Amino acid sequence: MPAFTASAPAKIILFGEHAVVYGRPAIAVPVQQVQARAVVIPDPLAPRGRVWIQAPEINLDCAVGELPEENPLRKLIQLLQEHFQIDHLPACILRVSSTIPVAAGLGSGAAISVACLRALSAFLGAPLPVEHVSDLAYEIEKIYHGTPSGIDNTVVAYDRPVYFVHGQPIEFLSVGQPLTLVIGDSGRRSPTSEPVGALRQAWLANSVPYEELFDRVGEIARSARANLETGSLLHLGNLMDENHTLLVQMGVSSPELDHLVAAAHTAGALGAKLSGGGWGGNMIALVEPELAEQVSAALLQSGATHTLITQVRP
Ligand code: MEV
């Protein structure tokens, strides 16, 4: 019996996280080195409609109906049934695995959703077009944190660099020159909902200073877009630094992330910032290709639990 397999990449946000939740532009790129994977195996001898989930990394080995209502995988199956207007899926086993660290700002939730939606819709004989994959994954993102901008599901589903503004047509970016980035994991896990929720509370209490910060981040993202297209690395590095300073002012950085950002500079990075929700997770450093290993080693020496070197190509 054939199995249906799909995978989806991780992502990093180059510019504009958090401000993007408040309508400002942001730029994100896929990261191929780590991936989520879903495999659907038809299970015709199982009771009618039973979807059995196996996700050993999160200790799941049960029927989807046994999961709590708000479980993202349960919600995903429900959304698929509604989308295809069916009462149940044919019985199957859904195996989910991922090399993307969880709660680390790398879009692991979105990647798992995208991989599962693709594998399950292929199993149903009706592979979903990318825009539907992204839209359904967005609905699931709402479980991870109540007010997602939609950037994670978009960059992961389309698997291309995006310039994203919530509610506006997606714009794809082409870079003028390859970008080499070192991604450093602070080792601290931080679900996106936590910094996003705290920032929302602060904004609700006193929106004016935060709106100013978001405006400045929006300007940085616009300027970064132009510099990405022309390939002006030095300027991009400076913009990353400015963006990090504004994220610190929003209260979403952490001592570990600030320490890694400083270490990247000392080792010769052109610029560095936290990436994603913050309070933990990953930071990124823009580097000249020949300095990538040096910056990576400096990050590991400064407490990063893991590093990845990635390139964004024209
Ligand atoms: C998370 O990857 C990026 C945030 O801006 C949240 C969002 O856009 O939904 C922090």
Side-chain angles (χ1 to χ4, degrees), residues 11 13 16-21 26 105-107 141 145 147-152 164 192 195-196 275-278:
K11 70 94 205 347
I13 298 199
E17 52 275 272
H18 288 289
V20 67
V21 175
L106 295 180
E141 285 292 285
H145 72 98
T147 56
S149 63
I151 192 169
D152 285 15
F164 180 88
T192 310
V196 167
S275 181

Side-chain angles (χ1 to χ4, degrees), residues 187-212:
R188 184 181 283 257
R189 293 292 158 253
S190 168
T192 310
S193 57
E194 292 177 4
V196 167
L199 183 55
R200 181 157 295 268
Q201 290 312 313
W203 173 79
L204 284 171
N206 184 10
S207 67
V208 176
Y210 291 98
E211 286 294 325
E212 275 170 21

Side-chain angles (χ1 to χ4, degrees), residues 217-233:
V217 171
E219 278 160 32
I220 288 174
R222 275 186 281 274
S223 174
R225 177 202 191 151
N227 283 282
L228 273 170
E229 284 167 349
T230 55
S232 169
L233 291 190

Side-chain angles (χ1 to χ4, degrees), residues 131 134 154-155 158 161-165 168-172:
E131 61 273 22
S134 182
T154 302
V155 65
Y158 284 87
V162 293
Y163 179 83
F164 180 88
V165 184
Q168 292 190 12
I170 307 154
E171 292 180 57
F172 299 109

Side-chain angles (χ1 to χ4, degrees), residues 57-78:
E57 287 145 5
I58 49 169
N59 293 321
L60 271 190
D61 192 7
C62 64
V64 73
E66 293 166 31
L67 294 171
E69 290 271 341
E70 65 286 359
N71 180 282
L73 288 170
R74 182 164 175 172
K75 172 89 175 164
L76 183 143
I77 305 280
Q78 218 175 22

